[in-house]
Amino acid sequence: MPDINKIREEIDKNNSEMEKKRQQKIKEEYEGLSEQEKPTEELIKEKEEKTEKKEEMTEEKKKHSAAKAMEGKEEKKDLEKEITGNFYDELEKIKDMRCETKKQQSLKTKKCFELIEEWKNYGCSDNFKGVQKVFTELEKSETQPTMAYYWQKKESTKRIALAMASNYDQWNIPDKEKIKIINSFVKNKSKGKEVFYQKDKTLAEIAQILASKDIPYKDGVKLIIKNIDNPTEKQKTIEKLLKIEKKPLEENKKYLKEIKEILKKQEIPSEENVKEQLEEMNILVKMEKIIKDPKTLSKIISNAFEISKDADVQESWGELKSVIRKTIEKAKTPEKEEKEEVKNVVKNAKDFIKKETGKKGENGKEKKDSKWGTGFGVLGQGILLFLILFMLLELKGVDYLIGQTSGGGKKKQ
Amino acid sequence: MQQNFLNNFPPEIKDTASQLYDTILERSLMQAYKNLDDGKKTMMAKIFNSDNKEEKNNFLHNYLGNLQDIMMKETKKIVAEIKNNRTIAKAK
């Protein structure tokens, strides 16, 4: 049992240091006493014998607690093994779930996300192989991914990656392999909608966690940094790493504790959490659903035509347009004060973005552009529809987002 | 329908929404530009004055990755401003 030997060695070392200190203290005390107060040789001997006995007992006690700690470790390992076994069992059940209807598919996706979250803190016991298998199952089951799915997947990927880094010392494989697994996991699972593409940010956080754990830069953290594509993000991360290395150990420990707390506190990123946690993204999720649903979109369009022709609304529409015009003018005021060359750069960039995200392919189909362009197109459409719905709400009080009228009465759309 | 959904709306609504979107995009780009260091600002000016589409796309991807977040915030901001201005106008 090499571990017990190590512990014993440490105990011996500590004992000899303590003995030295004790002798020194006795010497100091003795020298400080007057002649009468000084104990006789017998008394000293007696005292030393008592102390020796006491120390023998302490050593026994220490050995006992070390053995107990080892037992505890073994027990913990057994427990983790059992838990991991249960998770694999759960995964098998998910694999056998039917996935024919949309409802079945959505239930399977939900179960996958739940299992990933539960497995996260025990992933080390099988070097995160099981969790990755759940991801594979998740990707297989989701044939019509929505924005909500991409968002949830991004969140889960990030949380697993952070768990991998913050429990780095508990894996059972060499460091090089750990880094390889973390890199490939983040790289492969971050694929999806550009709006939610966070590979670089996740890798940057991982690098900081590893640096706080004193993992060497060369052959370690460096290999994570290498996979950050965005040069600005890379530079920022390296600067942060330099600061981390200078920080005292206690501060780094505090940082790691905080990360672990965050991982504990946050629950599964369910659709409900998407709504609560990320209001902006939620708007996009809803907008995407509407744009993808021709029925709802047609209803909104015909309602917009009705509203625009409604004589009662004309006055209100004129007033709203005037307010919007004034708001736009006001919004552009600080920009007017900018230098001409700055205004030109912004204008050129704006024209390019609009051209890239709005154009069509030769057959009238959407042209496949850069990943950035595609993601930005989705965002642009979402914002445009949101603005239209906002105007309809202001004009007629019809809220398509929650299916209610702001004027009190319900009007399901 | 999905790709041209804006064209199906009444022209007045479509135009107003487009103007608002333009303002949001411009304000966001201005903010993102200001966040860049001097070297990147010069690089951006050079790239967006050229015709190199690939370089433009790369620049947006590499250095303006947070533009989408900024746009979401600007959208919320402008909608709040309109609401506020409307309340003030009505009060008058």
Side-chain angles (χ1 to χ4, degrees):
Chain A
M1 300 282 268
D3 284 341
I4 283 191
N5 288 338
K6 260 190 188 175
I7 292 165
R8 275 183 185 154
E9 264 175 37
E10 260 180 47
I11 291 170
D12 289 343
K13 204 179 152 193
N14 285 343
N15 283 345
S16 102
E17 273 170 20
M18 273 168 68
E19 174 62 19
K20 267 185 202 166
K21 278 183 191 168
R22 193 180 65 83
Q23 292 289 355
Q24 180 66 25
K25 206 180 165 190
I26 291 172
K27 204 180 160 194
E28 279 168 12
E29 275 174 10
Y30 188 78
E31 278 165 3
L33 293 174
S34 67
E35 275 308 309
Q36 279 161 339
E37 285 172 321
K38 282 181 184 174
T40 57
E41 292 258 329
E42 286 84 21
L43 269 173
I44 294 173
K45 212 177 168 187
E46 200 180 310
K47 201 179 171 186
E48 273 181 355
E49 273 172 9
K50 272 185 185 173
T51 321
E52 265 170 30
K53 268 189 183 174
K54 207 176 166 187
E55 271 172 8
E56 267 173 30
M57 277 169 74
T58 321
E59 201 174 326
E60 274 304 309
K61 253 187 179 178
K62 278 181 184 170
K63 278 178 191 170
H64 183 67
S65 54
K68 236 184 167 181
M70 281 303 289
E71 265 177 39
K73 265 188 184 175
E74 289 298 320
E75 261 178 41
K76 199 185 162 205
K77 267 191 178 175
D78 287 344
L79 189 68
E80 277 178 0
K81 236 181 179 176
E82 199 185 323
I83 293 171
T84 307
N86 289 343
F87 286 146
Y88 271 104
D89 237 32
E90 201 66 29
L91 174 60
E92 282 308 308
K93 281 181 210 159
I94 291 177
K95 276 182 183 173
D96 288 342
M97 277 173 84
R98 289 178 72 183
C99 202
E100 286 142 24
T101 66
K102 213 168 177 189
K103 206 175 168 187
Q104 287 170 345
Q105 200 179 61
S106 133
L107 183 67
K108 195 170 177 181
T109 306
K110 193 178 166 222
K111 288 283 164 202
C112 284
F113 279 126
E114 280 174 2
L115 184 58
I116 288 169
E117 182 64 21
E118 281 169 20
W119 209 330
K120 181 190 72 212
N121 293 326
Y122 301 92
C124 290
S125 55
D126 73 338
N127 302 314
F128 291 92
K129 276 182 195 161
V131 178
Q132 293 196 65
K133 280 182 183 160
V134 189
F135 268 95
T136 311
E137 201 53 37
L138 175 78
E139 283 157 359
K140 266 200 273 177
S141 68
E142 193 59 69
T143 50
Q144 290 175 308
T146 60
M147 283 280 217
Y149 164 82
Y150 282 123
W151 190 84
Q152 281 180 301
K153 195 179 160 207
K154 178 211 81 175
E155 282 292 294
S156 293
T157 302
K158 189 179 169 188
R159 287 166 64 67
I160 293 295
L162 294 186
M164 284 173 164
S166 54
N167 297 315
Y168 190 81
D169 34 0
Q170 289 169 36
W171 297 46
N172 305 311
I173 46 173
D175 283 6
K176 265 194 175 176
E177 278 181 53
K178 291 181 200 172
I179 299 275
K180 209 173 156 187
I181 290 174
I182 295 176
N183 265 331
S184 97
F185 173 74
V186 178
K187 219 171 158 180
N188 293 329
K189 302 300 167 204
S190 298
K191 284 173 188 164
K193 290 263 181 200
E194 182 74 2
V195 184
F196 303 122
Y197 194 63
Q198 286 223 329
K199 184 193 83 168
D200 288 355
K201 278 187 184 163
T202 307
L203 288 176
E205 276 190 56
I206 289 170
Q208 287 170 65
I209 294 172
L210 296 183
S212 308
K213 279 180 164 284
D214 264 351
I215 306 297
Y217 183 75
K218 202 185 163 196
D219 299 329
V221 185
K222 192 178 179 177
L223 299 172
I224 299 282
I225 301 276
K226 214 176 147 188
N227 279 295
I228 299 178
D229 294 330
N230 185 330
T232 316
E233 192 73 58
K234 196 179 266 188
Q235 180 63 22
K236 272 187 200 165
T237 313
I238 294 171
E239 281 166 19
K240 279 180 190 163
L241 293 184
L242 289 170
K243 280 181 196 162
I244 287 174
E245 275 158 23
K246 278 181 198 158
K247 273 185 194 168
L249 193 68
E250 279 311 305
E251 263 188 64
N252 285 336
K253 274 187 186 169
K254 204 178 144 197
Y255 168 71
L256 288 171
K257 208 180 159 195
E258 279 168 11
I259 293 276
K260 285 194 173 176
E261 281 302 308
I262 292 169
L263 286 172
K264 261 188 214 165
K265 274 179 198 165
Q266 287 178 8
E267 289 306 317
I268 325 140
S270 67
E271 190 131 1
E272 281 309 306
N273 285 347
V274 176
K275 283 175 191 167
E276 284 167 17
Q277 289 173 14
L278 233 79
E279 199 190 328
E280 292 96 342
M281 287 303 174
N282 184 37
I283 292 169
L284 268 192
V285 171
K286 283 178 174 173
M287 296 304 110
E288 195 204 20
K289 271 186 188 166
I290 294 175
I291 293 171
K292 276 187 175 173
D293 178 11
K295 244 181 165 178
T296 315
L297 197 53
S298 301
K299 266 189 189 173
I300 295 172
I301 291 168
S302 72
N303 209 290
F305 270 103
E306 274 174 34
I307 290 173
S308 69
K309 284 172 194 161
D310 188 341
D312 296 341
V313 178
Q314 285 313 306
E315 196 187 331
S316 186
W317 179 222
E319 179 258 326
L320 178 63
K321 268 199 296 184
S322 151
V323 170
I324 291 177
R325 203 174 47 244
K326 278 179 192 160
T327 310
I328 290 176
E329 271 169 33
K330 207 176 157 193
K332 283 185 174 175
T333 315
E335 197 190 299
K336 280 178 192 161
E337 288 160 14
E338 290 294 336
K339 284 180 191 167
E340 209 53 44
E341 55 190 86
V342 176
K343 282 195 267 183
N344 277 341
V345 178
V346 169
K347 190 186 170 295
N348 290 345
K350 185 187 83 178
D351 292 344
F352 175 75
I353 289 172
K354 282 180 75 180
K355 203 175 150 194
E356 281 300 289
T357 52
K359 69 184 175 190
K360 304 260 163 281
E362 280 171 15
N363 305 322
K365 286 178 187 168
E366 188 188 16
K367 191 169 176 177
K368 293 265 177 214
D369 262 310
S370 66
K371 238 163 127 191
W372 189 91
T374 315
F376 208 86
V378 174
L379 177 90
Q381 284 189 354
I383 290 178
L384 273 166
L385 182 61
F386 174 75
L387 292 170
I388 290 174
L389 297 186
F390 162 69
M391 286 191 282
L392 296 182
L393 172 68
E394 287 289 300
L395 288 174
K396 199 84 175 170
V398 182
D399 192 344
Y400 289 92
L401 299 177
I402 54 170
Q404 283 177 351
T405 58
S406 59
K410 283 197 173 186
K411 194 173 181 179
K412 188 107 181 155
Q413 295 298 320
Chain B
M1 174 79 90
Q2 281 175 25
Q3 301 307 324
N4 296 310
F5 82 92
L6 193 61
N7 291 331
N8 294 308
F9 279 92
E12 272 193 304
I13 290 181
K14 179 192 147 191
D15 293 345
T16 313
S18 297
Q19 281 167 23
L20 273 173
Y21 178 75
D22 255 34
T23 311
I24 291 164
L25 183 55
E26 232 169 79
R27 256 186 14 175
S28 308
L29 275 166
M30 185 61 84
Q31 205 180 311
Y33 174 83
K34 282 179 183 169
N35 291 342
L36 295 173
D37 62 46
D38 288 344
K40 301 284 177 312
K41 280 178 185 166
T42 316
M43 194 199 268
M44 185 174 170
K46 200 180 152 196
I47 289 173
F48 283 94
N49 274 326
S50 76
D51 290 325
N52 194 328
K53 198 184 124 182
E54 203 185 328
E55 272 193 358
K56 287 177 188 175
N57 263 322
N58 285 343
F59 189 89
L60 289 169
H61 180 262
N62 292 337
Y63 302 110
L64 298 186
N66 62 344
L67 184 62
Q68 296 171 347
D69 294 337
I70 299 175
M71 279 193 76
M72 303 288 268
K73 282 182 188 122
E74 284 298 324
T75 307
K76 278 177 80 182
K77 226 159 109 184
I78 210 153
V79 163
E81 280 168 26
I82 294 169
K83 276 184 177 174
N84 193 32
N85 291 341
R86 214 170 169 217
T87 314
I88 294 169
K90 275 180 183 169
K92 279 179 186 171

